[in-house]
Amino acid sequence: MRHLSYHIDMRRKIETIGVIIVHFGNKKDTFECLESVSLTSHEKILLKVYLVDNDPQNRISRGELSFNLHIKLLTQEKNLGFGGGVNKGVRQALKDRCDYILLLNNDVVVKKELFKSLIPYFNIKNVGIVSPLIAYYDNPKKIWCTHGYFNKKFAFTTYPFMNKYIHETSLPDTIESDFGAACLFINSKVFKKIGFLDERYFINVEDVEWCFRAKKAGFKLIYVTKPLALHKISANAGIRVTNLLSPLSAYFYARNFFILMRDHKY
C-alpha cells in the first residue's frame, strides 16, 4: 500500500493540465462539470479546458461560459461520437503542450483536491493513467467504480466494488485496473506513444480499447481509492440515475465488444 503526499516545491515547473469535456445533451450537466473543474485550480497547476461541443441540436455559446477557467470552445459540425469529440480536444491539448490530460465525462463532478491528490501517483514506475474512486452523484457514499476487469472469454467488463458503500469496504490505496472510464487522468506521453481513441466505436467501449493499447505499450492504469469524482450515471447514453443503457447505446455497447475482440485477437 502506498501513501503519497503532494508537497509544493517552488522550484518545480508548473504542470499544464488539459481537461477534455465533450458536451452532448443537458447543458446543466456540462456547466456543473465545468464549475467543479474551476475549483481544482492550484498555484502549481495551469488548467486549460477544451470544451468540445458535439451536439448540433443543443449548442453552447461563448457567452454562456462565465467560469473562472481558460476555456477553448471547439465546435463540431456534426456529432462525431465520444471518441471523435475526445480526439479533437486531445489534439489541441497536445498542440498546446499540456503535460497531462484529463478525459472527463460531462455528467461528472470532481472535487477540488482532484489534481493535488492524483499527480503524485505518476511517480510510480510505469504509471501512465490514474483515476479516482468514482461514487454516485445521487448517493456519494456508494461506489460506482474503483477499478474494472475484462473477461476475455465472454467479452464483458466487471466492476468488483460497484454499488458497495465506501465505509463498508476495505480498499488498498491503489488498485491496478484493466481500464477506466468517466474520469481518466493521463500523462500526455501515453497519447504520444499509442495515439488517439478509435472513432469507429462512436460511443461505448472506445475508452476500454484505448486502455488496452496503453497497457500493451507498457503503461499501468491505477485507481486511487479516494472518492474524488461523482457520476450522474447514463445521463447522456442511458436511463438517468441507473446503469441501464438506452437501446441505441446498448447496440453500440454490444457491437463494439465484438470489434474489440476481433482487433485484439482475444
Side-chain angles (χ1 to χ4, degrees), residues 132-184:
L133 183 155
I134 304 172
Y136 287 93
Y137 179 89
D138 293 298
N139 192 344
K141 295 181 180 180
K142 183 182 282 191
I143 296 170
W144 179 66
C145 184
T146 54
H147 62 298
Y149 299 125
F150 180 66
N151 186 309
K152 296 178 182 179
K153 184 175 182 180
F154 297 106
F156 68 88
T157 54
T158 59
Y159 302 83
F161 290 94
M162 178 179 278
N163 294 329
K164 295 185 182 296
Y165 284 94
I166 297 171
H167 70 275
E168 294 176 347
T169 60
S170 179
L171 297 169
D173 188 46
T174 64
I175 305 174
E176 190 167 351
S177 180
D178 286 342
F179 58 88
C183 183
L184 283 176

Short mmCIF file of all heavy atoms in Angstrom, two decimals, residues 132-184:
data_model
loop_
_atom_site.label_atom_id
_atom_site.label_comp_id
_atom_site.label_asym_id
_atom_site.label_seq_id
_atom_site.Cartn_x
_atom_site.Cartn_y
_atom_site.Cartn_z
N PRO A 132 -9.57 8.36 -10.01
CA PRO A 132 -10.01 8.30 -8.62
C PRO A 132 -11.16 7.31 -8.45
O PRO A 132 -11.77 6.89 -9.44
CB PRO A 132 -10.51 9.72 -8.36
CG PRO A 132 -11.12 10.10 -9.68
CD PRO A 132 -10.23 9.48 -10.74
N LEU A 133 -11.45 6.97 -7.23
CA LEU A 133 -12.70 6.26 -6.95
C LEU A 133 -13.85 7.18 -7.38
O LEU A 133 -13.85 8.37 -7.05
CB LEU A 133 -12.80 5.92 -5.46
CG LEU A 133 -14.01 5.11 -4.98
CD1 LEU A 133 -13.66 4.36 -3.69
CD2 LEU A 133 -15.25 5.98 -4.74
N ILE A 134 -14.79 6.63 -8.10
CA ILE A 134 -15.94 7.41 -8.57
C ILE A 134 -17.19 6.91 -7.86
O ILE A 134 -17.51 5.72 -7.88
CB ILE A 134 -16.11 7.27 -10.10
CG1 ILE A 134 -14.82 7.69 -10.81
CG2 ILE A 134 -17.29 8.13 -10.58
CD1 ILE A 134 -14.82 7.41 -12.31
N ALA A 135 -17.88 7.82 -7.21
CA ALA A 135 -19.11 7.48 -6.48
C ALA A 135 -20.31 8.00 -7.27
O ALA A 135 -20.18 8.74 -8.25
CB ALA A 135 -19.07 8.08 -5.08
N TYR A 136 -21.48 7.61 -6.81
CA TYR A 136 -22.72 8.07 -7.44
C TYR A 136 -23.01 9.52 -7.04
O TYR A 136 -22.92 9.88 -5.86
CB TYR A 136 -23.90 7.20 -7.04
CG TYR A 136 -23.91 5.83 -7.67
CD1 TYR A 136 -23.33 4.74 -7.03
CD2 TYR A 136 -24.53 5.61 -8.90
CE1 TYR A 136 -23.35 3.47 -7.60
CE2 TYR A 136 -24.56 4.36 -9.48
CZ TYR A 136 -23.97 3.28 -8.83
OH TYR A 136 -23.99 2.05 -9.40
N TYR A 137 -23.38 10.32 -7.99
CA TYR A 137 -23.73 11.72 -7.73
C TYR A 137 -24.90 11.81 -6.75
O TYR A 137 -24.90 12.65 -5.85
CB TYR A 137 -24.10 12.39 -9.06
CG TYR A 137 -24.50 13.84 -8.95
CD1 TYR A 137 -23.54 14.85 -9.03
CD2 TYR A 137 -25.84 14.21 -8.80
CE1 TYR A 137 -23.91 16.20 -8.95
CE2 TYR A 137 -26.21 15.54 -8.72
CZ TYR A 137 -25.24 16.53 -8.79
OH TYR A 137 -25.61 17.85 -8.70
N ASP A 138 -25.90 10.94 -6.93
CA ASP A 138 -27.09 10.99 -6.08
C ASP A 138 -26.93 10.22 -4.77
O ASP A 138 -27.82 10.26 -3.92
CB ASP A 138 -28.30 10.45 -6.85
CG ASP A 138 -28.68 11.36 -8.01
OD1 ASP A 138 -29.03 12.52 -7.75
OD2 ASP A 138 -28.58 10.93 -9.17
N ASN A 139 -25.80 9.54 -4.62
CA ASN A 139 -25.51 8.82 -3.39
C ASN A 139 -24.00 8.76 -3.22
O ASN A 139 -23.37 7.74 -3.51
CB ASN A 139 -26.11 7.41 -3.42
CG ASN A 139 -26.09 6.75 -2.05
OD1 ASN A 139 -25.38 7.18 -1.14
ND2 ASN A 139 -26.85 5.67 -1.89
N PRO A 140 -23.37 9.85 -2.78
CA PRO A 140 -21.91 9.96 -2.73
C PRO A 140 -21.21 8.95 -1.84
O PRO A 140 -19.98 8.82 -1.92
CB PRO A 140 -21.69 11.39 -2.20
CG PRO A 140 -22.95 12.11 -2.50
CD PRO A 140 -24.04 11.10 -2.36
N LYS A 141 -21.96 8.24 -1.02
CA LYS A 141 -21.34 7.23 -0.15
C LYS A 141 -21.28 5.86 -0.82
O LYS A 141 -20.70 4.93 -0.27
CB LYS A 141 -22.10 7.13 1.17
CG LYS A 141 -22.03 8.41 2.00
CD LYS A 141 -22.78 8.27 3.30
CE LYS A 141 -22.69 9.56 4.14
NZ LYS A 141 -23.42 9.43 5.43
N LYS A 142 -21.90 5.74 -2.01
CA LYS A 142 -21.94 4.46 -2.71
C LYS A 142 -21.00 4.48 -3.90
O LYS A 142 -20.96 5.44 -4.67
CB LYS A 142 -23.37 4.15 -3.17
CG LYS A 142 -23.52 2.78 -3.84
CD LYS A 142 -24.95 2.52 -4.32
CE LYS A 142 -25.86 2.14 -3.18
NZ LYS A 142 -27.18 1.64 -3.69
N ILE A 143 -20.25 3.39 -4.08
CA ILE A 143 -19.24 3.29 -5.14
C ILE A 143 -19.89 3.00 -6.48
O ILE A 143 -20.71 2.09 -6.60
CB ILE A 143 -18.23 2.18 -4.81
CG1 ILE A 143 -17.44 2.53 -3.55
CG2 ILE A 143 -17.27 1.95 -5.98
CD1 ILE A 143 -16.59 1.39 -3.01
N TRP A 144 -19.50 3.78 -7.49
CA TRP A 144 -19.82 3.42 -8.88
C TRP A 144 -18.66 2.62 -9.46
O TRP A 144 -18.84 1.56 -10.01
CB TRP A 144 -20.10 4.66 -9.73
CG TRP A 144 -20.40 4.29 -11.16
CD1 TRP A 144 -21.48 3.60 -11.61
CD2 TRP A 144 -19.60 4.54 -12.32
NE1 TRP A 144 -21.41 3.40 -12.98
CE2 TRP A 144 -20.26 3.99 -13.44
CE3 TRP A 144 -18.39 5.21 -12.52
CZ2 TRP A 144 -19.74 4.06 -14.73
CZ3 TRP A 144 -17.88 5.30 -13.82
CH2 TRP A 144 -18.56 4.72 -14.90
N CYS A 145 -17.43 3.14 -9.33
CA CYS A 145 -16.28 2.42 -9.89
C CYS A 145 -15.02 2.69 -9.09
O CYS A 145 -14.68 3.84 -8.80
CB CYS A 145 -16.06 2.85 -11.35
SG CYS A 145 -14.73 1.93 -12.18
N THR A 146 -14.33 1.62 -8.72
CA THR A 146 -12.99 1.72 -8.14
C THR A 146 -11.96 1.20 -9.14
O THR A 146 -10.81 1.62 -9.13
CB THR A 146 -12.85 0.89 -6.86
OG1 THR A 146 -13.26 -0.46 -7.13
CG2 THR A 146 -13.69 1.46 -5.76
N HIS A 147 -12.34 0.26 -9.96
CA HIS A 147 -11.48 -0.33 -10.99
C HIS A 147 -12.33 -1.31 -11.77
O HIS A 147 -13.49 -1.57 -11.42
CB HIS A 147 -10.27 -1.03 -10.38
CG HIS A 147 -10.60 -2.19 -9.49
ND1 HIS A 147 -11.34 -2.06 -8.33
CD2 HIS A 147 -10.32 -3.52 -9.60
CE1 HIS A 147 -11.48 -3.25 -7.76
NE2 HIS A 147 -10.87 -4.15 -8.51
N GLY A 148 -11.77 -1.85 -12.86
CA GLY A 148 -12.54 -2.80 -13.65
C GLY A 148 -11.65 -3.83 -14.31
O GLY A 148 -10.47 -3.59 -14.56
N TYR A 149 -12.24 -5.00 -14.56
CA TYR A 149 -11.52 -6.09 -15.23
C TYR A 149 -12.31 -6.53 -16.45
O TYR A 149 -13.53 -6.41 -16.51
CB TYR A 149 -11.33 -7.28 -14.28
CG TYR A 149 -10.50 -6.94 -13.05
CD1 TYR A 149 -10.99 -7.17 -11.77
CD2 TYR A 149 -9.23 -6.39 -13.18
CE1 TYR A 149 -10.24 -6.85 -10.65
CE2 TYR A 149 -8.48 -6.06 -12.07
CZ TYR A 149 -8.98 -6.30 -10.81
OH TYR A 149 -8.24 -5.98 -9.69
N PHE A 150 -11.57 -7.04 -17.42
CA PHE A 150 -12.19 -7.50 -18.66
C PHE A 150 -12.11 -9.02 -18.74
O PHE A 150 -11.03 -9.60 -18.62
CB PHE A 150 -11.50 -6.87 -19.86
CG PHE A 150 -12.08 -7.29 -21.18
CD1 PHE A 150 -13.37 -6.93 -21.54
CD2 PHE A 150 -11.34 -8.05 -22.08
CE1 PHE A 150 -13.92 -7.32 -22.75
CE2 PHE A 150 -11.87 -8.44 -23.30
CZ PHE A 150 -13.16 -8.07 -23.64
N ASN A 151 -13.27 -9.66 -18.94
CA ASN A 151 -13.32 -11.11 -19.12
C ASN A 151 -13.14 -11.41 -20.60
O ASN A 151 -14.04 -11.18 -21.41
CB ASN A 151 -14.67 -11.64 -18.61
CG ASN A 151 -14.73 -13.16 -18.63
OD1 ASN A 151 -14.44 -13.79 -19.66
ND2 ASN A 151 -15.11 -13.76 -17.51
N LYS A 152 -11.97 -11.92 -20.97
CA LYS A 152 -11.65 -12.15 -22.38
C LYS A 152 -12.45 -13.31 -22.97
O LYS A 152 -12.73 -13.33 -24.16
CB LYS A 152 -10.15 -12.44 -22.53
CG LYS A 152 -9.26 -11.28 -22.13
CD LYS A 152 -7.79 -11.65 -22.25
CE LYS A 152 -6.89 -10.51 -21.80
NZ LYS A 152 -5.47 -10.86 -21.90
N LYS A 153 -12.83 -14.26 -22.13
CA LYS A 153 -13.54 -15.43 -22.63
C LYS A 153 -14.97 -15.08 -23.05
O LYS A 153 -15.47 -15.54 -24.09
CB LYS A 153 -13.56 -16.53 -21.58
CG LYS A 153 -14.19 -17.84 -22.06
CD LYS A 153 -14.06 -18.92 -21.00
CE LYS A 153 -14.66 -20.24 -21.49
NZ LYS A 153 -14.53 -21.31 -20.47
N PHE A 154 -15.65 -14.27 -22.25
CA PHE A 154 -17.05 -13.96 -22.51
C PHE A 154 -17.28 -12.51 -22.94
O PHE A 154 -18.42 -12.09 -23.14
CB PHE A 154 -17.89 -14.27 -21.27
CG PHE A 154 -17.88 -15.73 -20.88
CD1 PHE A 154 -17.16 -16.16 -19.79
CD2 PHE A 154 -18.57 -16.65 -21.65
CE1 PHE A 154 -17.15 -17.50 -19.43
CE2 PHE A 154 -18.56 -18.00 -21.31
CZ PHE A 154 -17.85 -18.43 -20.19
N ALA A 155 -16.20 -11.73 -23.08
CA ALA A 155 -16.26 -10.36 -23.58
C ALA A 155 -17.21 -9.46 -22.79
O ALA A 155 -18.15 -8.88 -23.31
CB ALA A 155 -16.66 -10.35 -25.06
N PHE A 156 -16.94 -9.34 -21.49
CA PHE A 156 -17.70 -8.38 -20.70
C PHE A 156 -16.80 -7.80 -19.62
O PHE A 156 -15.76 -8.36 -19.27
CB PHE A 156 -18.96 -9.01 -20.09
CG PHE A 156 -18.70 -10.04 -19.03
CD1 PHE A 156 -18.54 -9.66 -17.70
CD2 PHE A 156 -18.62 -11.39 -19.35
CE1 PHE A 156 -18.31 -10.61 -16.71
CE2 PHE A 156 -18.38 -12.34 -18.37
CZ PHE A 156 -18.23 -11.95 -17.05
N THR A 157 -17.20 -6.66 -19.10
CA THR A 157 -16.43 -5.98 -18.07
C THR A 157 -17.08 -6.18 -16.70
O THR A 157 -18.30 -6.32 -16.59
CB THR A 157 -16.35 -4.47 -18.36
OG1 THR A 157 -17.68 -3.95 -18.54
CG2 THR A 157 -15.55 -4.22 -19.63
N THR A 158 -16.25 -6.20 -15.69
CA THR A 158 -16.75 -6.34 -14.32
C THR A 158 -16.17 -5.22 -13.45
O THR A 158 -15.03 -4.79 -13.65
CB THR A 158 -16.36 -7.70 -13.71
OG1 THR A 158 -14.92 -7.83 -13.71
CG2 THR A 158 -16.97 -8.84 -14.49
N TYR A 159 -16.99 -4.77 -12.51
CA TYR A 159 -16.59 -3.72 -11.57
C TYR A 159 -16.78 -4.29 -10.16
O TYR A 159 -17.89 -4.24 -9.61
CB TYR A 159 -17.46 -2.48 -11.76
CG TYR A 159 -17.41 -1.90 -13.16
CD1 TYR A 159 -18.20 -2.43 -14.19
CD2 TYR A 159 -16.57 -0.84 -13.46
CE1 TYR A 159 -18.15 -1.90 -15.47
CE2 TYR A 159 -16.51 -0.30 -14.73
CZ TYR A 159 -17.30 -0.83 -15.73
OH TYR A 159 -17.26 -0.31 -17.00
N PRO A 160 -15.72 -4.81 -9.56
CA PRO A 160 -15.84 -5.58 -8.31
C PRO A 160 -16.55 -4.89 -7.15
O PRO A 160 -17.22 -5.56 -6.36
CB PRO A 160 -14.38 -5.89 -7.96
CG PRO A 160 -13.69 -5.90 -9.29
CD PRO A 160 -14.34 -4.82 -10.07
N PHE A 161 -16.41 -3.58 -7.01
CA PHE A 161 -16.99 -2.93 -5.83
C PHE A 161 -18.19 -2.05 -6.17
O PHE A 161 -18.65 -1.28 -5.32
CB PHE A 161 -15.91 -2.10 -5.11
CG PHE A 161 -14.86 -2.93 -4.44
CD1 PHE A 161 -13.68 -3.23 -5.09
CD2 PHE A 161 -15.07 -3.43 -3.17
CE1 PHE A 161 -12.71 -4.01 -4.49
CE2 PHE A 161 -14.12 -4.21 -2.55
CZ PHE A 161 -12.92 -4.51 -3.21
N MET A 162 -18.72 -2.17 -7.37
CA MET A 162 -19.86 -1.35 -7.75
C MET A 162 -21.04 -1.58 -6.80
O MET A 162 -21.36 -2.72 -6.45
CB MET A 162 -20.29 -1.66 -9.19
CG MET A 162 -21.51 -0.87 -9.65
SD MET A 162 -21.99 -1.20 -11.35
CE MET A 162 -20.85 -0.13 -12.23
N ASN A 163 -21.66 -0.48 -6.37
CA ASN A 163 -22.84 -0.45 -5.51
C ASN A 163 -22.57 -0.81 -4.05
O ASN A 163 -23.51 -0.91 -3.26
CB ASN A 163 -23.96 -1.35 -6.06
CG ASN A 163 -24.49 -0.81 -7.39
OD1 ASN A 163 -24.51 0.40 -7.62
ND2 ASN A 163 -24.92 -1.71 -8.26
N LYS A 164 -21.30 -0.97 -3.70
CA LYS A 164 -20.96 -1.15 -2.29
C LYS A 164 -20.75 0.22 -1.66
O LYS A 164 -20.36 1.17 -2.32
CB LYS A 164 -19.70 -2.01 -2.15
CG LYS A 164 -19.87 -3.45 -2.63
CD LYS A 164 -18.63 -4.26 -2.36
CE LYS A 164 -18.77 -5.68 -2.88
NZ LYS A 164 -19.84 -6.42 -2.19
N TYR A 165 -21.01 0.30 -0.36
CA TYR A 165 -20.81 1.56 0.34
C TYR A 165 -19.34 1.70 0.73
O TYR A 165 -18.70 0.73 1.15
CB TYR A 165 -21.70 1.65 1.56
CG TYR A 165 -23.14 1.96 1.20
CD1 TYR A 165 -24.07 0.93 1.03
CD2 TYR A 165 -23.56 3.28 1.01
CE1 TYR A 165 -25.39 1.22 0.67
CE2 TYR A 165 -24.87 3.57 0.65
CZ TYR A 165 -25.78 2.54 0.48
OH TYR A 165 -27.06 2.81 0.11
N ILE A 166 -18.82 2.91 0.56
CA ILE A 166 -17.40 3.14 0.79
C ILE A 166 -16.99 2.73 2.19
O ILE A 166 -15.96 2.08 2.38
CB ILE A 166 -17.05 4.63 0.54
CG1 ILE A 166 -17.31 5.00 -0.93
CG2 ILE A 166 -15.61 4.92 0.92
CD1 ILE A 166 -17.20 6.49 -1.22
N HIS A 167 -17.80 3.07 3.18
CA HIS A 167 -17.42 2.79 4.57
C HIS A 167 -17.48 1.29 4.89
O HIS A 167 -16.95 0.85 5.92
CB HIS A 167 -18.32 3.57 5.54
CG HIS A 167 -19.74 3.09 5.58
ND1 HIS A 167 -20.69 3.54 4.68
CD2 HIS A 167 -20.37 2.21 6.41
CE1 HIS A 167 -21.85 2.95 4.95
NE2 HIS A 167 -21.69 2.15 5.99
N GLU A 168 -18.09 0.50 4.02
CA GLU A 168 -18.18 -0.95 4.26
C GLU A 168 -17.08 -1.73 3.56
O GLU A 168 -17.01 -2.95 3.69
CB GLU A 168 -19.55 -1.46 3.78
CG GLU A 168 -20.72 -0.92 4.58
CD GLU A 168 -22.07 -1.37 4.03
OE1 GLU A 168 -22.12 -1.90 2.91
OE2 GLU A 168 -23.07 -1.17 4.75
N THR A 169 -16.23 -1.04 2.82
CA THR A 169 -15.17 -1.72 2.08
C THR A 169 -13.81 -1.41 2.67
O THR A 169 -13.60 -0.35 3.27
CB THR A 169 -15.16 -1.29 0.60
OG1 THR A 169 -14.93 0.11 0.53
CG2 THR A 169 -16.48 -1.63 -0.07
N SER A 170 -12.91 -2.34 2.52
CA SER A 170 -11.53 -2.14 2.95
C SER A 170 -10.66 -2.19 1.70
O SER A 170 -10.33 -3.25 1.19
CB SER A 170 -11.12 -3.25 3.94
OG SER A 170 -9.78 -3.08 4.34
N LEU A 171 -10.33 -1.02 1.21
CA LEU A 171 -9.64 -0.91 -0.06
C LEU A 171 -8.18 -0.50 0.14
O LEU A 171 -7.87 0.32 1.01
CB LEU A 171 -10.32 0.13 -0.95
CG LEU A 171 -11.76 -0.18 -1.38
CD1 LEU A 171 -12.38 1.05 -2.04
CD2 LEU A 171 -11.79 -1.35 -2.34
N PRO A 172 -7.26 -1.05 -0.66
CA PRO A 172 -5.89 -0.56 -0.63
C PRO A 172 -5.83 0.85 -1.21
O PRO A 172 -6.80 1.33 -1.80
CB PRO A 172 -5.14 -1.56 -1.53
CG PRO A 172 -6.20 -2.06 -2.47
CD PRO A 172 -7.48 -2.10 -1.68
N ASP A 173 -4.72 1.51 -1.05
CA ASP A 173 -4.60 2.88 -1.53
C ASP A 173 -4.72 2.96 -3.05
O ASP A 173 -5.32 3.90 -3.58
CB ASP A 173 -3.25 3.45 -1.09
CG ASP A 173 -3.11 4.93 -1.36
OD1 ASP A 173 -4.06 5.68 -1.06
OD2 ASP A 173 -2.06 5.34 -1.89
N THR A 174 -4.17 1.97 -3.74
CA THR A 174 -4.27 1.93 -5.20
C THR A 174 -4.63 0.52 -5.67
O THR A 174 -4.30 -0.46 -5.01
CB THR A 174 -2.94 2.33 -5.88
OG1 THR A 174 -1.92 1.39 -5.55
CG2 THR A 174 -2.52 3.72 -5.45
N ILE A 175 -5.30 0.45 -6.81
CA ILE A 175 -5.66 -0.83 -7.42
C ILE A 175 -5.35 -0.74 -8.91
O ILE A 175 -5.81 0.19 -9.59
CB ILE A 175 -7.15 -1.17 -7.24
CG1 ILE A 175 -7.55 -1.12 -5.77
CG2 ILE A 175 -7.48 -2.53 -7.84
CD1 ILE A 175 -9.05 -1.30 -5.53
N GLU A 176 -4.60 -1.69 -9.43
CA GLU A 176 -4.33 -1.70 -10.86
C GLU A 176 -5.56 -2.22 -11.60
O GLU A 176 -6.24 -3.15 -11.14
CB GLU A 176 -3.12 -2.56 -11.19
CG GLU A 176 -2.66 -2.40 -12.64
CD GLU A 176 -1.29 -2.99 -12.91
OE1 GLU A 176 -0.58 -3.37 -11.95
OE2 GLU A 176 -0.91 -3.05 -14.10
N SER A 177 -5.86 -1.61 -12.74
CA SER A 177 -7.10 -1.90 -13.45
C SER A 177 -6.83 -2.20 -14.91
O SER A 177 -5.80 -1.79 -15.47
CB SER A 177 -8.03 -0.68 -13.33
OG SER A 177 -9.27 -0.89 -13.99
N ASP A 178 -7.75 -2.93 -15.55
CA ASP A 178 -7.65 -3.18 -16.98
C ASP A 178 -8.05 -1.97 -17.80
O ASP A 178 -7.58 -1.78 -18.92
CB ASP A 178 -8.55 -4.36 -17.39
CG ASP A 178 -8.00 -5.71 -16.96
OD1 ASP A 178 -6.79 -5.79 -16.66
OD2 ASP A 178 -8.78 -6.68 -16.94
N PHE A 179 -8.92 -1.15 -17.25
CA PHE A 179 -9.44 0.01 -17.99
C PHE A 179 -10.02 1.02 -17.01
O PHE A 179 -10.15 0.75 -15.81
CB PHE A 179 -10.53 -0.42 -19.00
CG PHE A 179 -11.69 -1.12 -18.35
CD1 PHE A 179 -12.77 -0.39 -17.87
CD2 PHE A 179 -11.70 -2.49 -18.20
CE1 PHE A 179 -13.83 -1.02 -17.24
CE2 PHE A 179 -12.76 -3.13 -17.58
CZ PHE A 179 -13.83 -2.40 -17.09
N GLY A 180 -10.39 2.17 -17.53
CA GLY A 180 -11.04 3.18 -16.71
C GLY A 180 -12.09 3.88 -17.55
O GLY A 180 -12.18 3.71 -18.76
N ALA A 181 -12.87 4.73 -16.88
CA ALA A 181 -13.94 5.43 -17.59
C ALA A 181 -14.37 6.66 -16.80
O ALA A 181 -14.14 6.74 -15.60
CB ALA A 181 -15.14 4.51 -17.79
N ALA A 182 -14.96 7.61 -17.50
CA ALA A 182 -15.63 8.78 -16.93
C ALA A 182 -14.69 9.86 -16.39
O ALA A 182 -14.99 11.05 -16.49
CB ALA A 182 -16.62 8.38 -15.84
N CYS A 183 -13.55 9.46 -15.81
CA CYS A 183 -12.61 10.43 -15.24
C CYS A 183 -11.21 9.83 -15.31
O CYS A 183 -10.73 9.23 -14.36
CB CYS A 183 -13.01 10.75 -13.81
SG CYS A 183 -11.98 12.01 -13.00
N LEU A 184 -10.56 9.98 -16.47
CA LEU A 184 -9.24 9.39 -16.69
C LEU A 184 -8.18 10.49 -16.76
O LEU A 184 -8.23 11.35 -17.65
CB LEU A 184 -9.22 8.59 -17.99
CG LEU A 184 -9.86 7.21 -17.99
CD1 LEU A 184 -9.84 6.63 -19.41
CD2 LEU A 184 -9.14 6.29 -17.04
#
